[in-house]
Amino acid sequence: MYTVTHVLTALIICLLLRGRLPQRSLLLFALGSFLPDIDHLYMHRFLLHSIFFLLSSLAVSRLLLKSFALTLGVLLHFLEDMLASNFNTLLYPITLIDLGLGLWWLYSTWFNLAVTLLFASLLILREGMILKHRTLQDVIRFTLMMLASISFGSAKASEILLGYVDPILVEGARFTSVTILLTAYFKPYRRDENT
């Protein structure tokens, strides 16, 4: 799955659990769903897509954060990678074994648009964004989240604009989009600032 799709699915779960769990736990969960893809910056799916990273996140969660939300986000990421690809690095560097289902259609434009539309629908219908919260700040936040949600198309955009896929541009767009998504989503609504 694309990095932004990992984060969107975590945010969809956060939307469904909002009010039932502390905001801090939801933020850690969403952050955990993103962390393994930091290895896109050097060698995708080796160091941070392994059982050793999962165990490290568990130790950090238990000892420092006193919450397992970060580890649950990493587990969500791993589960999605197992569905979408062959996910052969779980036991790296000990061995490479194909553990995934290879459902490559999870990388399709249509699937990613469906995830984006589900996220937008939940923001509008469940959170009342744009319907109830129509301040300029809310409209800007919603617009930024929607633009960031479509960063899975950055490779195609690079190919169209430059004539080739620029990996630095693509990864920069994806990481910027995740930063925008997390910042815009977890910025409290005015009604939450008083609580």
Side-chain angles (χ1 to χ4, degrees), residues 44 55 71 113 163:
H44 185 223
L55 293 174
T71 302
L113 281 175

Side-chain angles (χ1 to χ4, degrees), residues 9-179:
T9 55
L11 291 178
I12 288 168
I13 293 168
C14 288
L15 276 166
L16 297 173
L17 295 176
R18 190 176 172 115
R20 295 185 181 127
L21 293 173
Q23 187 82 341
R24 178 180 179 267
S25 295
L26 298 176
L27 175 61
L28 289 171
F29 177 71
L31 188 61
S33 73
F34 161 69
L35 286 179
D37 275 352
I38 290 174
D39 67 8
H40 277 273
L41 296 175
Y42 56 93
M43 189 177 358
H44 185 223
R45 283 215 185 129
F46 281 91
L47 186 60
L48 302 182
H49 281 79
S50 73
I51 192 77
F52 302 107
F53 180 69
L54 181 63
L55 293 174
S56 298
S57 75
L58 184 61
V60 167
S61 292
R62 173 102 166 100
L63 300 173
L64 300 176
L65 301 174
K66 309 292 188 219
S67 166
F68 291 105
L70 184 81
T71 302
L72 290 174
V74 172
L75 278 171
L76 174 67
H77 185 107
F78 284 9
L79 174 66
E80 290 172 332
D81 277 353
M82 285 178 150
L83 290 172
S85 65
N86 62 358
F87 197 65
N88 61 3
T89 60
L90 187 63
L91 299 174
Y92 179 83
I94 298 168
T95 187
L96 295 173
I97 309 172
D98 287 347
L99 297 172
L101 298 177
L103 303 175
W104 295 103
W105 57 268
L106 294 173
Y107 286 99
S108 73
T109 301
W110 296 113
F111 175 78
N112 286 278
L113 281 175
V115 172
T116 299
L117 289 174
L118 177 60
F119 178 62
S121 299
L122 287 171
L123 282 174
I124 293 168
L125 300 174
R126 186 170 171 91
E127 292 296 306
M129 202 168 222
I130 306 302
L131 295 178
K132 294 179 189 171
H133 307 283
R134 286 183 249 171
T135 65
L136 180 60
Q137 179 187 17
D138 293 322
V139 171
I140 290 170
R141 284 178 59 215
F142 182 79
T143 303
L144 286 173
M145 285 190 280
M146 292 305 97
L147 289 172
S149 297
I150 60 171
S151 70
F152 60 85
S154 58
K156 191 63 170 173
S158 171
E159 185 179 352
I160 291 169
L161 295 172
L162 303 175
Y164 64 96
V165 176
D166 183 339
I168 294 171
L169 182 67
V170 170
E171 292 308 322
R174 290 178 180 163
F175 281 85
T176 302
S177 294
V178 167
T179 303

